[in-house]
Amino acid sequence: DINVSKGDTYGGTTYHAAGAIAGINGGTIENCVVKSGSVVKIYGDGSKSGVNRVAGGVVGWNMKHVSPEYINGDPSYDNLLGLGEIINCINHASVEAKGRRQSKGEILSAGGIAGKSEMAATSDKPDGSNLHVHATLIQGCANFGSVKTSGKTGTAYVGGIAGSGISSTDIIFCFNAGAVNAGAVASEDNYNNAFIGGIIGSINANYCGSELLWCANAGVISAVNDCYKGEIAGVRAPEE
């Protein structure tokens, strides 16, 4: 079992990330199976506000990191961006992200394969043009474990495969059969947004493009609050 209550600060934000294989992945994880009976849980003790808590059956945060020091003046930046790939993996563990504060700075993300799958940072090329970055990838994966958020939070993302893919992620040929539940209590200032989907809670195609292709969900989806909910995606922002 994996239980995490502390984390690191990244880009000025504190992240607590837990996964059965890796808390944070910037490479390729392939052909892994997380057995049934296992538990991956991320939780807070309420002592620190403004925390992102991320839990995934295989990986907590699947990341493609774009580092400005490599980009600015370095022509080889294309080889230094990391991969952020999860391929042909299966999860049977139960996954939970638990919060302790009802505030807008609190974010929970839980997914059967990855809690978050997205790009970490961006910058421009030295010539001032926009940097094109290939998305993180979850391909050929399946989840059979339950996935949920619980406790108190400001915003919650929950998905059978990934909780959130706010910036640039591709999810292809994936299947979820696990129950998905957004159980975290809404914040009192009505900031709370819950995004819950059989495959992903929220995916955004506006930022470097994202694809959600050939996926299926057979898991039951439920929530304690009003939320954005879908059999495949809770919200998918279209590409502009």
Side-chain angles (χ1 to χ4, degrees):
D1 292 354
I2 307 294
N3 286 271
V4 175
S5 62
K6 302 295 182 182
D8 295 319
T9 298
Y10 182 90
T13 302
T14 299
Y15 289 90
H16 297 179
I21 303 300
I24 296 176
N25 172 49
T28 298
I29 295 178
E30 191 169 5
N31 300 326
C32 292
V33 177
V34 181
K35 295 182 178 180
S36 60
S38 302
V39 176
V40 177
K41 183 176 181 180
I42 194 89
Y43 59 95
D45 58 10
S47 63
K48 187 178 181 66
S49 61
V51 176
N52 283 251
R53 296 186 174 88
V54 185
V58 177
V59 170
W61 185 5
N62 189 43
M63 174 205 297
K64 181 184 290 291
H65 177 64
V66 184
S67 180
E69 63 264 26
Y70 288 140
I71 297 166
N72 295 327
D74 188 339
S76 62
Y77 62 84
D78 281 328
N79 297 320
L80 298 166
L81 301 182
L83 296 172
E85 297 178 339
I86 307 173
I87 300 171
N88 297 337
C89 292
I90 299 173
N91 175 58
H92 294 275
S94 62
V95 178
E96 179 180 0
K98 184 175 182 178
R100 295 290 181 89
R101 286 177 178 263
Q102 289 176 297
S103 64
K104 64 182 182 180
E106 298 293 299
I107 300 175
L108 300 177
S109 300
I113 300 298
K116 290 165 63 83
S117 184
E118 57 190 41
M119 192 164 57
T122 60
S123 182
D124 289 333
K125 294 181 182 180
D127 62 6
S129 62
N130 291 327
L131 174 68
H132 176 73
V133 179
H134 295 290
T136 56
L137 175 67
I138 302 176
Q139 179 175 304
C141 294
N143 174 61
F144 298 93
S146 63
V147 183
K148 68 177 181 179
T149 58
S150 63
K152 302 175 182 180
T153 190
T155 306
Y157 300 95
V158 199
I161 297 299
S164 66
I166 302 301
S167 58
S168 194
T169 188
D170 292 343
I171 301 178
I172 302 171
F173 289 122
C174 290
F175 173 72
N176 174 61
V180 183
N181 175 252
V185 177
S187 67
E188 295 174 353
D189 61 3
N190 294 320
Y191 185 91
N192 180 79
N193 291 295
F195 303 85
I196 178 172
I199 298 299
I200 190 168
S202 179
I203 187 168
N204 190 343
N206 288 330
Y207 200 60
C208 296
S210 293
E211 299 286 354
L212 183 55
L213 302 173
W214 303 298
C215 295
N217 172 57
V220 176
I221 301 170
S222 60
V224 298
N225 302 120
D226 292 337
C227 65
Y228 298 95
K229 182 169 64 174
E231 287 296 320
I232 298 298
V235 167
R236 183 186 186 278
E239 187 170 4
E240 295 180 347

